[in-house]
Amino acid sequence: MNSSLTAVGLPIALGIIMLGLGLSLTVADFHRVVSFPKPILIALACQALLLPALCFGLVVALDLPPALAVGMMLLAASPGGTTANLYSHLFGGQVALNVTLTAVNSVLAVVTLPIVVNLSAAYFLPDAGSIGLQFDKVLQVFAIVLVPVAIGMALRARLPALADRLARPVKILSVIVLVAVIVGTVLKELENVADYFVAVGVAVLIFNVASLAIGYGAPRLARIGKSESIAVGMEIGIHNSTLAITIAVSPGLLDSTEMAIPAAVYGIVMFFTAAAFGYLVTRRRKEVEVGRPA
């Protein structure tokens, strides 16, 4: 997995994806926090506190090798990806809330992600003093995540017509580049794919299902509406595995193929689990609606 394809291709793909996200955002999306304070606060608490704690307990209980354990924690600290917006739309979630959560989460991740990674590296790899995200590496994460978003938002604010014209081509380009990188990586590592699934498959599956359940269940316990809860569930349950892989394999950041394995496996598993989750939630909602008296 550690090749020029991933070292160069993934940052480019992620930059294009984040640019596409920025083209769809306005300042109003951040102001919307005031409109949805309760679900947003619950989602951020789950993302920043509950999921890393859950993931830590999981990797300790399963006794994962140190590098894979740090990779799992990196995944847990990664914000929701733009795929969450698509799944939320498909299964009746409040997409406006997803857009806001993705925007706010991406900003906060620049702070929370290095903290989680550094604490995890210190715990699981105490002898690897150079492993972790030092200040200069945090600046690189900032550049990878926020600079393309800021450029996209600036284009949206100053040249909305151009942003509208660019939005679809950028989205298509990001998908093409990302698929090309993933396919190339899988083909290059084909003989190791089964080993990767064996190494972290159980941990990834448990963490993914738990993330979806917590993301949906916590808002419901707080008496938040169904569509908002679906949105939070998708946002919390679908992590930005591309960001996690990029940080793991980039020579200037963690420079570790092994740490990228959990995110790589997660990036495959989540499509199926999120679809199953969305089906179950919407099916239950339809059954409740059918059972209501006229």
Side-chain angles (χ1 to χ4, degrees), residues 14 25 29 64 68-69 79 104 122 137 151 170 180 186 197 201 212 244 258:
L14 182 62
L25 293 176
D29 293 316
L64 290 185
L68 293 180
V104 174
K137 296 181 179 181
I151 293 172
V170 167
V186 169
F197 271 91
L212 289 164
E258 197 171 358

Side-chain angles (χ1 to χ4, degrees), residues 259-275:
M259 289 183 190
I261 291 173
V265 174
Y266 186 95
I268 298 170
V269 170
M270 71 178 186
F271 288 106
F272 301 99
T273 52

Side-chain angles (χ1 to χ4, degrees), residues 141-168:
V141 174
F142 177 87
I144 290 173
V145 175
L146 293 189
V147 170
V149 172
I151 293 172
M153 288 185 67
L155 285 173
R156 165 64 59 188
R158 294 175 180 273
L159 301 167
L162 177 61
D164 287 336
R165 288 198 299 270
L166 288 175
R168 184 175 177 80

